[in-house]
Amino acid sequence: MSWIHQDYLCRMLYPLIRSLLFTLPPEQAHHVSMRWLSAACSLEAGEQLITRCFRFPGEARKTVFGLPFRNPVGLGAGFDKNAGYLPALKALGFGFVEIGTVTPLAQAGNDRPRLFRLPADEALINRMGFNNDGMDAIKRRLANWNDRESSTGDTRMIVGGNIGKNKVTANEDAWKDYLLVFRQLHAEADYFVVNVSSPNTPGLRALQDKESLVKLCGNLQEYNQGQQQPQPLLLKIAPELTNGQLDDILELTAEIPLNGLVATNTTIERNNLSAASQLKSQQAGAGGLRGAPLRRRSVEVLQYLKKHIH
C-alpha cells in the first residue's frame, strides 16, 4: 500500500472513529481506543499493518542528548502513564514516548470526572492528579519493553520517564520521592523529566522556586553522575512563570546542571477560550488546560528561554 493510499484511508476513517469515541466520556474513550489498538498490535499481522499505515515519511533520525531519536514526533507524559501501550504507540510511528508521571507509590488520582473536552477550541481540561500504578509496577513493564526492543533488531523508540511525588508527601520531603523514582527507573528509561509544574497536585508548583529546585535537582544529579551511565535530566515548567522566574530556572540549569527544559505544562489560565469553551470550562471546574489555546504562551516561553540561555 503506497503512502498516498495509506494517508487517504486514514483521512476517511478518522472522522468515523472520532465520532464514535466522542459518544464516550473522554477518559473511557482513551482507554477503550488504546485497548483496541493494543489488541490489534498483539497480532503480528495487525502490528505490521498499523506500522505501515503510520510510517513516518522520509528520513528524520536525529541524535539529541546522545540518544538516537528515530524521528522528532513524540508523545508527552500523561497519555501512557503506566508504560502499558508502548508497542502500540511505536506502531503509530512515534519517535519517542514519555511515560508517567510516575510516583513512588501507586495512587488513584483525583475523583472522576477529571477529563473534559473543549472541541470548539481543540483543547482539553484535566485534573488527573498523577494517577499511576507506582514505580515498581512501571519498572517491570519498562524492563519487559526493553527486552522486547533488544530482540527485534528494529530501530528503538526512545522512552522517557516523567517523575513526581505522591500527593500525601509534604513538599519539604518531595525530593525524596523524586529520588526514589529516579533510582528505581534509572536503568530502564532513556531520559527523565522532573515534573514540578502540574496544577493538579496541591502545592506542587511551589517546588518551582529556585531554592526548592536546587535541592531537588541537586540530589538527582548527585546520584545520576555517580552512575556508570548518567541519564539526561530535564525540568518541566509551567507556562505562568514570570520572566524573573524563568531567569532563575536558566541560572539553575547552569548550576546543577540540567540537560534541558520542557516548555510547557498545562495552564490554569482560561483567557483565550471561546464563549462555548468558557462555559464548559466553568462547568468542568479546576484543572490544567492543554491544546491550541496554550500554544501562544508556550511559544513565548520557549522563545524567551532560547534568547536568554547561555
Side-chain angles (χ1 to χ4, degrees), residues 81-95:
K81 291 176 174 289
N82 296 305
Y85 303 129
L86 294 177
L89 294 174
K90 183 179 182 181
L92 285 179
F94 287 106

Side-chain angles (χ1 to χ4, degrees), residues 20-171:
L20 289 174
L21 289 174
F22 267 51
T23 65
L24 300 174
E27 191 168 353
Q28 184 182 359
H30 169 75
H31 292 299
V32 166
S33 58
M34 290 312 300
R35 285 176 189 141
W36 286 350
L37 187 62
S38 296
C41 288
S42 66
L43 304 173
E44 184 176 354
E47 185 175 26
Q48 290 177 353
L49 176 62
I50 293 169
T51 299
R52 284 199 302 269
C53 286
F54 294 95
R55 184 174 60 249
F56 195 89
E59 178 64 34
R61 300 185 187 187
K62 189 171 185 179
T63 299
V64 183
F65 313 128
L67 299 174
F69 289 79
R70 62 183 191 148
N71 69 60
V73 179
L75 186 61
F79 191 93
D80 189 5
K81 291 176 174 289
N82 296 305
Y85 303 129
L86 294 177
L89 294 174
K90 183 179 182 181
L92 285 179
F94 287 106
F96 65 100
V97 169
E98 196 173 301
I99 59 134
T101 298
V102 184
T103 57
L105 301 176
Q107 57 183 30
N110 295 322
D111 294 337
R112 300 188 188 194
R114 54 193 180 182
L115 184 61
F116 308 89
R117 299 183 183 103
L118 304 179
D121 286 322
E122 298 179 334
L124 290 171
I125 292 173
N126 90 83
R127 52 168 178 270
M128 307 301 289
F130 287 178
N131 55 307
N132 74 105
D133 293 341
M135 63 183 186
D136 293 335
I138 293 171
K139 178 183 180 179
R140 289 193 294 271
R141 294 190 192 116
L142 286 178
N144 290 336
W145 164 255
N146 288 326
D147 288 343
R148 176 188 186 274
E149 285 287 87
S150 63
S151 65
T152 61
D154 192 12
T155 305
R156 291 182 67 249
M157 181 180 73
I158 298 297
V159 177
N162 187 293
I163 60 177
K165 79 174 188 74
N166 281 116
K167 184 177 180 179
V168 297
T169 302
N171 272 10

Side-chain angles (χ1 to χ4, degrees), residues 67-303:
L67 299 174
F69 289 79
R70 62 183 191 148
N71 69 60
V73 179
L75 186 61
F79 191 93
D80 189 5
K81 291 176 174 289
N82 296 305
Y85 303 129
L86 294 177
L89 294 174
K90 183 179 182 181
L92 285 179
F94 287 106
F96 65 100
V97 169
E98 196 173 301
I99 59 134
T101 298
V102 184
T103 57
L105 301 176
Q107 57 183 30
N110 295 322
D111 294 337
R112 300 188 188 194
R114 54 193 180 182
L115 184 61
F116 308 89
R117 299 183 183 103
L118 304 179
D121 286 322
E122 298 179 334
L124 290 171
I125 292 173
N126 90 83
R127 52 168 178 270
M128 307 301 289
F130 287 178
N131 55 307
N132 74 105
D133 293 341
M135 63 183 186
D136 293 335
I138 293 171
K139 178 183 180 179
R140 289 193 294 271
R141 294 190 192 116
L142 286 178
N144 290 336
W145 164 255
N146 288 326
D147 288 343
R148 176 188 186 274
E149 285 287 87
S150 63
S151 65
T152 61
D154 192 12
T155 305
R156 291 182 67 249
M157 181 180 73
I158 298 297
V159 177
N162 187 293
I163 60 177
K165 79 174 188 74
N166 281 116
K167 184 177 180 179
V168 297
T169 302
N171 272 10
E172 56 264 30
D173 294 323
W175 68 271
K176 299 177 183 178
D177 274 16
Y178 286 88
L179 183 57
L180 277 171
V181 183
F182 189 55
R183 291 170 64 110
Q184 185 75 326
L185 302 186
H186 194 273
E188 306 299 343
D190 295 305
Y191 70 89
F192 288 86
V193 175
V194 179
N195 188 354
V196 290
S197 51
S198 170
N200 301 316
T201 295
L204 186 75
R205 287 190 167 193
L207 295 175
Q208 290 181 111
D209 72 78
K210 188 175 180 182
E211 182 179 351
S212 296
L213 286 176
V214 167
K215 182 176 183 179
L216 195 165
C217 296
N219 278 285
L220 293 178
Q221 278 293 35
E222 182 179 2
Y223 173 80
N224 192 32
Q225 297 305 319
Q227 303 307 299
Q228 186 173 1
Q229 184 174 341
Q231 302 285 39
L233 185 64
L234 295 82
L235 177 67
K236 189 170 188 176
I237 60 176
E240 293 87 6
L241 295 181
T242 65
N243 289 348
Q245 290 172 313
L246 292 175
D247 290 336
D248 286 343
I249 297 289
L250 290 173
E251 289 180 15
L252 174 75
T253 63
E255 290 177 19
I256 299 300
L258 297 174
N259 297 91
L261 299 171
V262 179
T264 64
N265 212 317
T266 58
T267 180
I268 57 175
E269 298 291 339
R270 301 289 189 267
N271 298 331
N272 298 323
L273 296 179
S274 65
S277 292
Q278 285 283 4
L279 178 59
K280 288 192 174 185
S281 172
Q282 293 170 7
Q283 295 169 342
L289 174 71
R290 67 177 70 236
L294 180 55
R295 183 182 298 119
R296 179 177 177 180
R297 178 54 187 164
S298 291
V299 170
E300 289 174 350
V301 172
L302 188 60
Q303 289 174 335

